[in-house]
Amino acid sequence: MQYRARSSNIGKSWNHLAQNVSSFGKKEDLEQPFDGLILPGGESTVQGKLLRELEMYDSLKEKIESGMPVLATCAGLILLAEHLSNDEHVYFGTLPVTVRRNAYGRQLGSFHTDAEVKGIGEVPMTFIRAPYIETADEQVQVLAHVDDRIVAVQYGAQIGLSFHPELDADSRIHEKFLGLIADCIKNNNCRKIKKICKNPLHFFAQGVILNE
């Protein structure tokens, strides 16, 4: 039920912004065009395992390394991180940061707050068994802190968040991500794409088509 709720909320976020999304569940689906990638919350270990078992890992990593815009939240941030301080696994490893998994403890350690995001303003933030970023390389732009801990960064076209923007009504982070996609298309760095996810019970990735 947890994954189903997240899938529904993410879909609502993009419907509100009049963007098209659709679901993928196998490597052949990635041959369809899409404009941007969302790596949402969930269980990063399971997500990483599914990406490899479904033979989607190599294709997605290549797209990310080629500059495709990515919005990664919570477990998605873990998938992007170059290092994990409390886990030997590395997944895509395209974001030069060190992340601590489950940094705020178990489910009971989940919380909600408001904090300033650079270039956006104060936004609501919902943290669910969240990670945080312990260190970030110099070329990484730190976008937000909560209690002196880094919870949002941007590196090129990759945005990594410790929290879940889709669980709140504020759409400005999603709009920022859409702006990255629009810039990518304008500069001819992106190919047309569709959304990537499996199904509501095994949801691990999502893509967006930017309406023209």
Side-chain angles (χ1 to χ4, degrees):
M1 295 302 295
Q2 186 177 24
Y3 287 112
R4 188 181 300 276
R6 286 178 182 162
S7 176
S8 174
N9 279 309
I10 291 174
K12 288 178 181 177
S13 297
W14 296 114
N15 289 336
H16 170 69
L17 294 171
Q19 304 307 315
N20 296 322
V21 293
S22 60
S23 299
F24 293 164
K26 55 186 183 300
K27 66 176 183 178
E28 291 78 13
D29 294 335
L30 301 182
E31 297 173 4
Q32 302 181 47
F34 58 97
D35 299 318
L37 176 67
I38 301 169
L39 298 173
E43 172 48 58
S44 59
T45 303
V46 174
Q47 292 171 350
K49 183 172 182 288
L50 285 172
L51 285 168
R52 291 189 181 278
E53 287 183 354
L54 297 172
E55 300 182 9
M56 300 173 77
Y57 172 86
D58 290 337
S59 177
L60 290 179
K61 183 172 183 179
E62 181 181 1
K63 291 178 186 296
I64 296 169
E65 290 178 334
S66 296
M68 174 173 283
V70 183
L71 176 63
T73 67
C74 197
L77 169 63
I78 294 170
L79 292 180
L80 286 189
E82 193 172 84
H83 302 288
L84 301 175
S85 64
N86 57 344
D87 193 319
E88 63 183 11
H89 293 91
V90 175
Y91 300 99
F92 291 121
T94 57
L95 182 62
V97 298
T98 297
V99 168
R100 184 171 186 81
R101 296 185 66 214
N102 297 328
Y104 295 96
R106 296 182 179 273
Q107 195 80 12
L108 291 177
S110 301
F111 66 98
H112 183 277
T113 190
D114 295 278
E116 191 80 12
V117 175
K118 187 174 183 179
I120 294 179
E122 189 172 273
V123 302
M125 300 178 179
T126 299
F127 294 81
I128 302 175
R129 294 185 62 193
Y132 61 69
I133 298 167
E134 293 186 337
T135 62
D137 284 7
E138 290 183 0
Q139 65 267 40
V140 176
Q141 182 181 24
V142 175
L143 300 178
H145 292 83
V146 170
D147 296 332
D148 296 323
R149 292 166 173 164
I150 302 171
V151 297
V153 295
Q154 181 175 345
Y155 175 64
Q158 300 177 60
I159 297 176
L161 309 174
S162 298
F163 54 95
H164 292 269
E166 78 278 4
L167 296 182
D168 292 292
D170 194 310
S171 64
R172 287 174 294 167
I173 287 177
H174 295 103
E175 291 168 9
K176 177 180 177 66
F177 177 57
L178 291 177
L180 291 179
I181 296 175
D183 289 343
C184 187
I185 294 173
K186 181 179 178 181
N187 296 326
N188 295 318
N189 292 327
C190 291
R191 294 186 304 168
K192 284 288 185 168
I193 56 182
K194 273 201 169 212
K195 164 180 164 186
I196 305 163
C197 73
K198 193 174 185 317
N199 58 57
L201 293 178
H202 297 92
F203 182 74
F204 62 84
Q206 182 171 23
V208 177
I209 291 182
L210 190 65
N211 291 338
E212 295 182 315

